[in-house]
Amino acid sequence: MFEDIQEVLVTREALEEKVKELGKRISKDYEGKELVLIGVLKGGVVFFADLIRHITIPIEMDFISVSSYGNSTKSSGVVRIIKDIDIDITNKHVLIVEDLVDTGLTLRYLKDLFEDRGPKDVKVCTALDKPSRRKVDVPIAYNGITIPDKFVVGYGLDFGGKYRNLPDVCVLKESVYDNKVD
Ligand code: XMP
Ligand code: MG
């Protein structure tokens, strides 16, 4: 796995520092409010687990699993729910926790989906942001680290289902991307 890495784009230390800062801000902003954190499976799981341990107010948590039609490196914008959340978000504050905002199509869909269920508000927290590829505007209340337009893996993000457990955000060697077309 490590031999496939070309470059570490965001180190685990930089991620940790950012996650701490976001956790602090969230704890302050939602003090005294009913907050539900919704993690987006599978990529958002690593960030989610780190983030909640830096949140010092009571929260509820749930997960949604979505897949976007298209190939593995491009989002088509057509989103399909594989697993919905179980809890009722009526009158609660919702914070969607994502690994990465790319075109913004997935988050636009999720925001609209949850907003239709009567929450107090729906905001977005992402570990990584690739603003250069945005197709639809989605406000990001809690933004982690802005990255250039490169396909990245690690810290929850995968290529062909692999590399999610790399602790840093990395770019793989070109030969890895070339050899696997799915
Ligand atoms: P959109 O384009 O809808 O897509 O904002 C967001 C989701 O697409 C995936 N994505 C990536 N996954 N490396 C990945 O492993 C990447 O560089 C990348 N760019 C987008 C990711 O699941 C994200 O939540
Ligand atoms: Mg994702």
Side-chain angles (χ1 to χ4, degrees):
M1 180 171 70
F2 296 100
E3 65 279 5
D4 294 342
I5 297 172
Q6 184 188 70
E7 180 197 355
V8 172
L9 204 63
V10 187
T11 64
R12 63 197 79 179
E13 291 83 10
L15 289 161
E16 202 185 327
E17 197 181 312
K18 201 36 115 171
V19 170
K20 265 190 207 164
E21 182 193 312
L22 292 175
K24 237 189 226 173
R25 274 181 55 206
I26 292 166
S27 306
K28 190 164 159 268
D29 295 351
Y30 289 93
E31 176 92 65
K33 295 179 177 167
E34 261 190 291
L35 174 61
V36 182
L37 257 70
I38 301 178
V40 185
L41 299 173
K42 299 169 187 169
V45 158
V46 177
F47 175 48
F48 191 97
D50 283 349
L51 182 68
I52 57 168
R53 284 173 291 171
H54 290 287
I55 296 179
T56 53
I57 56 167
I59 58 156
E60 277 185 280
M61 58 164 123
D62 208 339
F63 297 93
I64 189 162
S65 177
V66 291
S67 96
S68 138
Y69 290 109
N71 67 32
S72 63
T73 57
K74 278 197 195 82
S75 172
S76 65
V78 185
V79 178
R80 183 167 57 107
I81 299 178
I82 295 168
K83 182 227 166 284
D84 205 340
I85 56 167
D86 305 313
I87 58 176
D88 182 7
I89 56 170
T90 316
N91 285 325
K92 293 175 184 167
H93 296 273
V94 170
L95 188 58
I96 305 172
V97 180
E98 253 286 31
D99 48 5
L100 193 156
V101 186
D102 192 37
T103 62
L105 293 164
T106 307
L107 267 180
R108 175 80 274 156
Y109 174 87
L110 289 176
K111 210 163 175 277
D112 292 347
L113 177 81
F114 296 136
E115 263 161 5
D116 281 347
R117 297 180 182 177
K120 283 229 167 73
D121 58 17
V122 180
K123 290 191 173 165
V124 172
C125 176
T126 186
L128 303 168
D129 183 19
K130 257 192 221 176
S132 55
R133 289 191 22 105
R134 203 72 93 247
K135 281 190 186 155
V136 287
D137 188 37
V138 189
I140 302 173
Y142 303 94
N143 190 194
I145 293 168
T146 299
I147 60 165
D149 182 14
K150 287 183 178 180
F151 191 84
V152 291
V153 298
Y155 201 64
L157 293 154
D158 73 307
F159 178 64
K162 281 168 63 185
Y163 308 103
R164 291 190 195 276
N165 54 322
L166 285 173
D168 310 294
V169 173
C170 304
V171 177
L172 297 177
K173 287 179 185 155
E174 277 205 29
S175 56
V176 182
Y177 297 123
D178 291 345
N179 290 341
K180 189 154 189 299
V181 182
D182 47 303

